[in-house]
Amino acid sequence: MTRVLVIGAGGVFGSRLAEGLLRSGFDVVVAGRHWERAEGVASRLRSAWPDRRIEVAVLDTATLTPEMLKAAGCAVVADMAGPFQGAEPTTARAAVAAGMHYVDLADARDFVAAFPALDASAKAAGVVALTGCSSTPALSNAVLDRLTNGWREVTAVEAAISPGARAPRGLSVMQAILSWLGRPVRVFEGGAWTTRPGWSGLHRRDFGAAGRRTVSLCETPDLDLLPARFAPTDRALFLAGLEPLVAHLGAWGLGLLVRLFRLDPVPLARLLVGVSGWASATGSDRGAMRVEAYGVNGEGRAARSNWRLVAQPGEGPVTPTLPALAAIRAILAGQVAAGARACVGVLPLEAIAEEMRPHGLATETAVERGAIYARAIGPAFDALPASIRALHETPGRSLWRGEAMTEGASGLVAALVARVVGFPPTQARCPAEVAIDADGERSIWRRQIGGHAFASILSRPRAGGRVSERFGPLTMDLTLTPEGGRLVYRVEGWRLGPLPLPRALGPSTEAFEEIDDDGRFVFDVTILVPLLGRLVRYRGWLTRRN
């Protein structure tokens, strides 16, 4: 029977991997720095799997040698010890020198980036060394490989994890998080590389059955690997959250203190492990993960694909170990070529999903149109002229230029309202430019007409052609209706901030889009208010410039 050496088997993830190996028919050598603790883990495992061979080895990764690894008599070394941030791949190097296969759960960006330096020696030894056999980057990349298969273009990719409130948080995990909390994190966003503070941003994401949760920027290897592998034109993010919300906000606040006062939070790791235990009394105990891709599918349509995983209470901590288990199977089956690299593009999603079955982990995949107009209007959207569809369906950032004219407000009070909202005054024929940022959830339109700028945000697509458009503090609920090659806009309701206002006093529109004899996108928008008259009219044509 094949034996696997599990270093750190007494930890949160090491114990789960050891259990998974035994359940799958492997024998295990439990390794740790202290005999008593390792033997205690082995005794518990022997009670559950009396027919398996379970041995103990005392190993310290700081003083590990190839000879020590060979003495364990195993085919594979699984390093579950961590933390990997700022560490050298000493265990992987020793495993390669010993002629043994190697896997780890490293989620440290620097560690994974440097790991391919072992590639030549691993190939010479005829062994496989894989790093990052965990939720990030192995599982996230396997999901994205599936979601974007056959796509023509990837605009944005994002992965997010949110462990349950009572998920064990070991000292090494806490130290890893604190090593980058509040410190500059290099991230691909807005079509360029920039820096953001670790654990910054308070983003709300839908985790399906686990509900909507708050997540923030997390430093992981995916921040390098996703841009390299999927070449998104706009952004590649990895986000993480804590349950309950107060724990997440506490971490966000600590990150702010790190930024303001240059604090080193790592010495607080042991204290924060205890505090997180107290906080775990509230909040959902379901672990969750989501992966999303946005871009252009094989049919040339804007598309958004979303994959979600929900773990029942107690099962969340097993998830990061499942890619490692799948990798060990694949290596021993001769399905992975020799060499040292990150565990991306190595395992198909099905192989990892197979390891999920004993744990009842629920996953779902949703594929939908990436354009909010297409989702709101439905199949009738595809019958619109190509120029109209292109403007509303282009994902990410696009720039449209042409000519326009405007007619300003028809009275003094209307002019005051128009000024608050940001509408332009009367202008003759002049240059027009519209920059659109579409992310699948909303579209931000930044207009420049004759040097006068105003913007609106389109969002909340609903069945029946309904969307919302916000101009400054004023939001209009619109209905979009294709009519004889035109797209007609009608106002169905309006709000000032969050406050709904009487429909009888609300604005109305005489607005449509069509194409001219040259096939160009043409717009004609008039916004009227009862008693005040016209707030603005702007009309003209546009063609795409990028």
Side-chain angles (χ1 to χ4, degrees):
M1 186 65 66
T2 303
R3 292 202 295 174
V4 178
L5 176 66
V6 181
I7 298 176
V12 172
F13 302 124
S15 61
R16 267 71 173 187
L17 178 62
E19 292 168 1
L21 289 165
L22 293 165
R23 187 180 296 110
S24 300
F26 295 98
D27 291 334
V28 168
V29 175
V30 174
R33 288 179 295 176
H34 305 288
W35 173 271
E36 294 79 6
R37 184 176 181 184
E39 180 58 35
V41 173
S43 297
R44 179 178 60 81
L45 295 175
R46 291 186 191 112
S47 298
W49 286 275
D51 58 336
R52 295 282 180 264
R53 185 178 176 186
I54 303 169
E55 299 181 355
V56 172
V58 177
L59 294 173
D60 187 337
T61 55
T63 58
L64 195 64
T65 66
E67 291 69 30
M68 293 176 183
L69 292 179
K70 286 182 181 179
C74 296
V76 182
V77 178
D79 187 358
M80 306 289 110
F84 294 93
Q85 280 77 6
E88 289 290 322
T90 53
T91 304
R93 193 178 293 123
V96 169
M100 301 167 68
H101 301 299
Y102 169 92
V103 300
D104 67 40
L105 299 187
D107 60 356
R109 190 174 183 177
D110 55 346
F111 186 94
V112 172
F115 198 81
L118 299 176
D119 187 54
S121 57
K123 287 177 177 175
V127 298
V128 177
L130 297 177
T131 187
C133 303
S134 187
S135 303
T136 170
L139 178 54
S140 55
N141 276 259
V143 172
L144 284 169
D145 283 337
R146 177 50 51 85
L147 295 184
T148 62
N149 184 37
W151 281 22
R152 298 181 185 180
E153 177 185 317
V154 176
T155 303
V157 291
E158 179 185 289
I161 56 174
S162 178
R166 285 170 283 286
R169 297 183 177 97
L171 182 60
S172 63
V173 173
M174 186 64 72
Q175 289 172 333
I177 294 172
L178 295 177
S179 69
W180 48 261
L181 189 82
R183 292 171 178 163
V185 172
R186 188 168 178 262
V187 61
F188 186 78
E189 190 174 19
W193 286 99
T194 185
T195 58
R196 297 280 186 267
W199 212 266
S200 62
L202 295 172
H203 310 281
R204 295 289 288 175
R205 292 293 185 265
D206 183 4
F207 287 87
R212 293 185 65 83
R213 297 185 177 184
T214 300
V215 289
S216 299
L217 178 64
C218 180
E219 171 90 298
T220 78
D222 273 329
L223 295 182
D224 290 324
L225 293 168
L226 297 183
R229 298 193 69 238
F230 299 98
T233 57
D234 184 44
R235 68 185 184 278
L237 297 178
F238 195 99
L239 309 172
L242 293 174
E243 280 287 302
L245 178 60
V246 65
H248 187 95
L249 295 177
W252 182 87
L254 180 58
L256 184 61
L257 293 177
V258 170
R259 290 153 56 189
L260 292 176
F261 301 106
R262 300 181 182 274
L263 300 178
D264 179 7
V266 175
L268 301 175
R270 196 173 298 277
L271 171 63
L272 293 176
V273 168
V275 171
S276 68
W278 303 334
S280 68
T282 62
S284 172
D285 199 27
R286 286 180 169 183
M289 180 174 180
R290 74 189 299 274
V291 180
E292 183 174 283
Y294 173 55
V296 181
N297 64 17
E299 299 175 350
R301 307 284 193 192
R304 188 171 67 165
S305 296
N306 192 294
W307 176 93
R308 293 183 291 220
L309 176 151
V310 176
Q312 294 304 316
E315 293 290 350
V318 77
T319 306
T321 70
L322 301 180
L325 184 55
I328 291 170
R329 287 187 192 272
I331 290 169
L332 294 177
Q335 299 170 354
V336 184
R341 55 199 179 279
C343 189
V344 296
V346 174
L347 300 171
L349 179 58
E350 292 79 6
I352 304 174
E354 185 63 29
E355 305 299 342
M356 297 179 183
R357 297 186 190 280
H359 306 283
L361 301 177
T363 65
E364 61 178 353
T365 300
V367 180
E368 62 182 2
R369 298 292 293 269
I372 62 174
Y373 274 35
R375 294 207 299 278
I377 296 170
F381 177 84
D382 294 331
L384 288 167
S387 296
I388 296 177
R389 285 188 281 107
L391 184 135
H392 292 296
E393 196 169 29
T394 300
R397 295 187 170 186
S398 59
L399 181 65
W400 306 77
R401 288 180 177 151
E403 292 183 347
M405 60 80 63
T406 63
E407 298 175 28
S410 59
L412 180 60
V413 177
L416 291 174
V417 174
R419 184 172 183 179
V420 170
V421 174
F423 290 144
T426 298
Q427 298 175 100
R429 181 176 173 181
C430 57
E433 177 180 292
V434 180
I436 301 176
D437 284 291
D439 64 7
E441 284 287 342
R442 64 180 190 169
S443 294
I444 303 174
W445 289 42
R446 297 181 176 90
R447 303 168 178 87
Q448 288 271 357
I449 299 180
H452 190 93
F454 65 108
S456 67
I457 300 175
L458 287 147
S459 62
R460 299 184 62 229
R462 286 99 71 200
R466 294 178 296 165
V467 299
S468 296
E469 184 169 20
R470 179 166 63 85
F471 292 89
L474 179 67
T475 298
M476 294 185 290
D477 293 321
L478 306 174
T479 298
L480 313 172
T481 309
E483 295 181 1
R486 285 182 169 186
L487 181 59
V488 179
Y489 290 59
R490 294 183 175 89
V491 178
E492 300 296 337
W494 67 308
R495 300 185 302 279
L496 184 62
L499 301 175
L501 299 175
R503 179 69 188 89
L505 300 178
S508 62
T509 61
E510 297 173 2
F512 63 86
E513 298 167 354
E514 61 181 1
I515 61 171
D516 62 15
D517 292 339
D518 296 321
R520 299 179 302 192
F521 174 89
V522 172
F523 58 92
D524 192 327
V525 179
T526 302
I527 300 178
L528 307 163
V529 174
L531 304 179
L532 301 183
R534 184 185 66 237
L535 292 184
V536 71
R537 181 187 183 189
Y538 51 97
R539 53 194 171 96
W541 59 266
L542 298 167
T543 59
R544 188 174 180 183
R545 296 304 173 93
N546 75 341

mmCIF file of all heavy atoms in Angstrom, residues 148-175:
data_model
loop_
_atom_site.group_PDB
_atom_site.id
_atom_site.type_symbol
_atom_site.label_atom_id
_atom_site.label_comp_id
_atom_site.label_asym_id
_atom_site.label_seq_id
_atom_site.Cartn_x
_atom_site.Cartn_y
_atom_site.Cartn_z
ATOM 1 N N THR A 148 -14.375 29.532 -18.250
ATOM 2 C CA THR A 148 -13.959 30.325 -19.417
ATOM 3 C C THR A 148 -13.602 29.468 -20.613
ATOM 4 O O THR A 148 -13.097 29.996 -21.613
ATOM 5 C CB THR A 148 -12.754 31.211 -19.054
ATOM 6 O OG1 THR A 148 -11.642 30.375 -18.681
ATOM 7 C CG2 THR A 148 -13.078 32.147 -17.900
ATOM 8 N N ASN A 149 -13.866 28.184 -20.537
ATOM 9 C CA ASN A 149 -13.523 27.295 -21.652
ATOM 10 C C ASN A 149 -14.238 27.746 -22.933
ATOM 11 O O ASN A 149 -15.458 27.855 -22.965
ATOM 12 C CB ASN A 149 -13.931 25.858 -21.312
ATOM 13 C CG ASN A 149 -13.517 24.882 -22.394
ATOM 14 O OD1 ASN A 149 -12.458 25.015 -22.994
ATOM 15 N ND2 ASN A 149 -14.348 23.890 -22.654
ATOM 16 N N GLY A 150 -13.479 28.013 -23.986
ATOM 17 C CA GLY A 150 -14.037 28.420 -25.264
ATOM 18 C C GLY A 150 -14.314 29.904 -25.400
ATOM 19 O O GLY A 150 -14.780 30.345 -26.459
ATOM 20 N N TRP A 151 -14.043 30.692 -24.369
ATOM 21 C CA TRP A 151 -14.302 32.132 -24.447
ATOM 22 C C TRP A 151 -13.320 32.815 -25.389
ATOM 23 O O TRP A 151 -12.160 32.408 -25.525
ATOM 24 C CB TRP A 151 -14.193 32.766 -23.067
ATOM 25 C CG TRP A 151 -15.404 32.552 -22.211
ATOM 26 C CD1 TRP A 151 -16.346 31.570 -22.339
ATOM 27 C CD2 TRP A 151 -15.786 33.332 -21.081
ATOM 28 N NE1 TRP A 151 -17.299 31.691 -21.369
ATOM 29 C CE2 TRP A 151 -16.995 32.762 -20.578
ATOM 30 C CE3 TRP A 151 -15.262 34.439 -20.448
ATOM 31 C CZ2 TRP A 151 -17.643 33.287 -19.470
ATOM 32 C CZ3 TRP A 151 -15.904 34.953 -19.341
ATOM 33 C CH2 TRP A 151 -17.092 34.391 -18.861
ATOM 34 N N ARG A 152 -13.790 33.894 -26.016
ATOM 35 C CA ARG A 152 -12.931 34.688 -26.885
ATOM 36 C C ARG A 152 -12.119 35.714 -26.109
ATOM 37 O O ARG A 152 -11.027 36.096 -26.528
ATOM 38 C CB ARG A 152 -13.778 35.418 -27.928
ATOM 39 C CG ARG A 152 -14.556 34.504 -28.871
ATOM 40 C CD ARG A 152 -15.332 35.330 -29.886
ATOM 41 N NE ARG A 152 -16.185 34.493 -30.718
ATOM 42 C CZ ARG A 152 -16.962 34.968 -31.679
ATOM 43 N NH1 ARG A 152 -17.002 36.286 -31.916
ATOM 44 N NH2 ARG A 152 -17.723 34.139 -32.389
ATOM 45 N N GLU A 153 -12.680 36.182 -25.016
ATOM 46 C CA GLU A 153 -12.007 37.234 -24.249
ATOM 47 C C GLU A 153 -12.450 37.161 -22.798
ATOM 48 O O GLU A 153 -13.621 36.922 -22.513
ATOM 49 C CB GLU A 153 -12.356 38.610 -24.824
ATOM 50 C CG GLU A 153 -11.767 39.789 -24.067
ATOM 51 C CD GLU A 153 -12.256 41.123 -24.618
ATOM 52 O OE1 GLU A 153 -12.307 41.275 -25.859
ATOM 53 O OE2 GLU A 153 -12.611 42.002 -23.802
ATOM 54 N N VAL A 154 -11.512 37.366 -21.908
ATOM 55 C CA VAL A 154 -11.824 37.445 -20.475
ATOM 56 C C VAL A 154 -11.634 38.890 -20.035
ATOM 57 O O VAL A 154 -10.565 39.462 -20.213
ATOM 58 C CB VAL A 154 -10.925 36.505 -19.656
ATOM 59 C CG1 VAL A 154 -11.190 36.685 -18.164
ATOM 60 C CG2 VAL A 154 -11.145 35.055 -20.065
ATOM 61 N N THR A 155 -12.685 39.463 -19.485
ATOM 62 C CA THR A 155 -12.621 40.846 -19.012
ATOM 63 C C THR A 155 -12.204 40.914 -17.547
ATOM 64 O O THR A 155 -11.344 41.708 -17.169
ATOM 65 C CB THR A 155 -13.985 41.537 -19.183
ATOM 66 O OG1 THR A 155 -14.369 41.468 -20.558
ATOM 67 C CG2 THR A 155 -13.919 42.987 -18.736
ATOM 68 N N ALA A 156 -12.812 40.074 -16.723
ATOM 69 C CA ALA A 156 -12.521 40.100 -15.285
ATOM 70 C C ALA A 156 -12.718 38.722 -14.690
ATOM 71 O O ALA A 156 -13.591 37.966 -15.123
ATOM 72 C CB ALA A 156 -13.420 41.113 -14.578
ATOM 73 N N VAL A 157 -11.881 38.403 -13.712
ATOM 74 C CA VAL A 157 -12.037 37.163 -12.949
ATOM 75 C C VAL A 157 -11.915 37.517 -11.473
ATOM 76 O O VAL A 157 -11.192 38.440 -11.091
ATOM 77 C CB VAL A 157 -10.990 36.095 -13.333
ATOM 78 C CG1 VAL A 157 -11.251 35.569 -14.729
ATOM 79 C CG2 VAL A 157 -9.567 36.648 -13.238
ATOM 80 N N GLU A 158 -12.640 36.747 -10.663
ATOM 81 C CA GLU A 158 -12.626 37.012 -9.226
ATOM 82 C C GLU A 158 -12.909 35.730 -8.468
ATOM 83 O O GLU A 158 -13.769 34.949 -8.858
ATOM 84 C CB GLU A 158 -13.684 38.057 -8.879
ATOM 85 C CG GLU A 158 -13.774 38.381 -7.393
ATOM 86 C CD GLU A 158 -14.905 39.335 -7.079
ATOM 87 O OE1 GLU A 158 -14.784 40.526 -7.439
ATOM 88 O OE2 GLU A 158 -15.919 38.892 -6.492
ATOM 89 N N ALA A 159 -12.176 35.524 -7.393
ATOM 90 C CA ALA A 159 -12.446 34.418 -6.481
ATOM 91 C C ALA A 159 -12.601 34.989 -5.080
ATOM 92 O O ALA A 159 -11.969 35.996 -4.733
ATOM 93 C CB ALA A 159 -11.320 33.394 -6.516
ATOM 94 N N ALA A 160 -13.455 34.359 -4.284
ATOM 95 C CA ALA A 160 -13.678 34.832 -2.915
ATOM 96 C C ALA A 160 -13.967 33.638 -2.017
ATOM 97 O O ALA A 160 -14.642 32.692 -2.431
ATOM 98 C CB ALA A 160 -14.842 35.823 -2.865
ATOM 99 N N ILE A 161 -13.449 33.689 -0.801
ATOM 100 C CA ILE A 161 -13.712 32.643 0.187
ATOM 101 C C ILE A 161 -14.221 33.288 1.466
ATOM 102 O O ILE A 161 -13.843 34.414 1.815
ATOM 103 C CB ILE A 161 -12.459 31.795 0.491
ATOM 104 C CG1 ILE A 161 -11.289 32.677 0.954
ATOM 105 C CG2 ILE A 161 -12.067 30.959 -0.715
ATOM 106 C CD1 ILE A 161 -10.074 31.895 1.396
ATOM 107 N N SER A 162 -15.103 32.554 2.154
ATOM 108 C CA SER A 162 -15.661 33.052 3.412
ATOM 109 C C SER A 162 -15.879 31.865 4.343
ATOM 110 O O SER A 162 -16.913 31.195 4.283
ATOM 111 C CB SER A 162 -16.990 33.772 3.147
ATOM 112 O OG SER A 162 -17.571 34.212 4.362
ATOM 113 N N PRO A 163 -14.894 31.543 5.208
ATOM 114 C CA PRO A 163 -15.044 30.408 6.127
ATOM 115 C C PRO A 163 -16.185 30.630 7.110
ATOM 116 O O PRO A 163 -16.581 31.767 7.400
ATOM 117 C CB PRO A 163 -13.695 30.366 6.858
ATOM 118 C CG PRO A 163 -12.758 31.162 6.003
ATOM 119 C CD PRO A 163 -13.595 32.202 5.342
ATOM 120 N N GLY A 164 -16.712 29.543 7.633
ATOM 121 C CA GLY A 164 -17.752 29.631 8.647
ATOM 122 C C GLY A 164 -17.230 30.238 9.939
ATOM 123 O O GLY A 164 -16.019 30.251 10.202
ATOM 124 N N ALA A 165 -18.140 30.734 10.748
ATOM 125 C CA ALA A 165 -17.757 31.441 11.975
ATOM 126 C C ALA A 165 -16.961 30.562 12.929
ATOM 127 O O ALA A 165 -16.066 31.038 13.631
ATOM 128 C CB ALA A 165 -19.007 31.971 12.676
ATOM 129 N N ARG A 166 -17.277 29.264 12.973
ATOM 130 C CA ARG A 166 -16.596 28.387 13.917
ATOM 131 C C ARG A 166 -15.537 27.510 13.267
ATOM 132 O O ARG A 166 -15.103 26.514 13.856
ATOM 133 C CB ARG A 166 -17.641 27.538 14.664
ATOM 134 C CG ARG A 166 -18.374 28.356 15.717
ATOM 135 C CD ARG A 166 -19.564 27.663 16.304
ATOM 136 N NE ARG A 166 -20.718 27.668 15.417
ATOM 137 C CZ ARG A 166 -21.468 28.737 15.172
ATOM 138 N NH1 ARG A 166 -21.163 29.907 15.722
ATOM 139 N NH2 ARG A 166 -22.512 28.661 14.368
ATOM 140 N N ALA A 167 -15.110 27.891 12.063
ATOM 141 C CA ALA A 167 -14.007 27.178 11.429
ATOM 142 C C ALA A 167 -12.742 27.377 12.255
ATOM 143 O O ALA A 167 -12.453 28.493 12.698
ATOM 144 C CB ALA A 167 -13.787 27.685 10.012
ATOM 145 N N PRO A 168 -11.976 26.302 12.507
ATOM 146 C CA PRO A 168 -10.745 26.464 13.301
ATOM 147 C C PRO A 168 -9.782 27.428 12.633
ATOM 148 O O PRO A 168 -9.595 27.391 11.416
ATOM 149 C CB PRO A 168 -10.168 25.041 13.321
ATOM 150 C CG PRO A 168 -11.314 24.140 12.999
ATOM 151 C CD PRO A 168 -12.203 24.910 12.089
ATOM 152 N N ARG A 169 -9.205 28.319 13.426
ATOM 153 C CA ARG A 169 -8.209 29.260 12.913
ATOM 154 C C ARG A 169 -6.922 29.047 13.697
ATOM 155 O O ARG A 169 -6.754 29.562 14.790
ATOM 156 C CB ARG A 169 -8.700 30.703 13.038
ATOM 157 C CG ARG A 169 -9.948 30.980 12.195
ATOM 158 C CD ARG A 169 -10.380 32.445 12.282
ATOM 159 N NE ARG A 169 -11.527 32.699 11.423
ATOM 160 C CZ ARG A 169 -12.794 32.722 11.831
ATOM 161 N NH1 ARG A 169 -13.057 32.491 13.111
ATOM 162 N NH2 ARG A 169 -13.775 32.959 10.999
ATOM 163 N N GLY A 170 -6.017 28.285 13.098
ATOM 164 C CA GLY A 170 -4.767 27.967 13.758
ATOM 165 C C GLY A 170 -3.810 29.140 13.776
ATOM 166 O O GLY A 170 -3.995 30.148 13.082
ATOM 167 N N LEU A 171 -2.765 28.995 14.577
ATOM 168 C CA LEU A 171 -1.790 30.074 14.725
ATOM 169 C C LEU A 171 -1.102 30.393 13.405
ATOM 170 O O LEU A 171 -0.918 31.563 13.055
ATOM 171 C CB LEU A 171 -0.754 29.689 15.785
ATOM 172 C CG LEU A 171 0.320 30.741 16.080
ATOM 173 C CD1 LEU A 171 -0.305 32.032 16.591
ATOM 174 C CD2 LEU A 171 1.337 30.187 17.076
ATOM 175 N N SER A 172 -0.724 29.373 12.632
ATOM 176 C CA SER A 172 -0.014 29.622 11.379
ATOM 177 C C SER A 172 -0.899 30.346 10.372
ATOM 178 O O SER A 172 -0.431 31.213 9.626
ATOM 179 C CB SER A 172 0.500 28.314 10.779
ATOM 180 O OG SER A 172 -0.562 27.445 10.440
ATOM 181 N N VAL A 173 -2.198 30.005 10.348
ATOM 182 C CA VAL A 173 -3.131 30.693 9.451
ATOM 183 C C VAL A 173 -3.253 32.156 9.852
ATOM 184 O O VAL A 173 -3.217 33.059 9.000
ATOM 185 C CB VAL A 173 -4.505 30.005 9.470
ATOM 186 C CG1 VAL A 173 -5.528 30.816 8.684
ATOM 187 C CG2 VAL A 173 -4.401 28.600 8.901
ATOM 188 N N MET A 174 -3.378 32.421 11.153
ATOM 189 C CA MET A 174 -3.494 33.798 11.627
ATOM 190 C C MET A 174 -2.227 34.591 11.323
ATOM 191 O O MET A 174 -2.279 35.753 10.899
ATOM 192 C CB MET A 174 -3.794 33.818 13.126
ATOM 193 C CG MET A 174 -4.066 35.206 13.686
ATOM 194 S SD MET A 174 -5.544 35.974 12.985
ATOM 195 C CE MET A 174 -6.827 34.984 13.774
ATOM 196 N N GLN A 175 -1.070 33.982 11.520
ATOM 197 C CA GLN A 175 0.189 34.665 11.204
ATOM 198 C C GLN A 175 0.283 34.998 9.716
ATOM 199 O O GLN A 175 0.776 36.068 9.340
ATOM 200 C CB GLN A 175 1.367 33.784 11.622
ATOM 201 C CG GLN A 175 1.543 33.663 13.125
ATOM 202 C CD GLN A 175 2.590 32.621 13.505
ATOM 203 O OE1 GLN A 175 2.836 31.672 12.756
ATOM 204 N NE2 GLN A 175 3.178 32.785 14.675
#
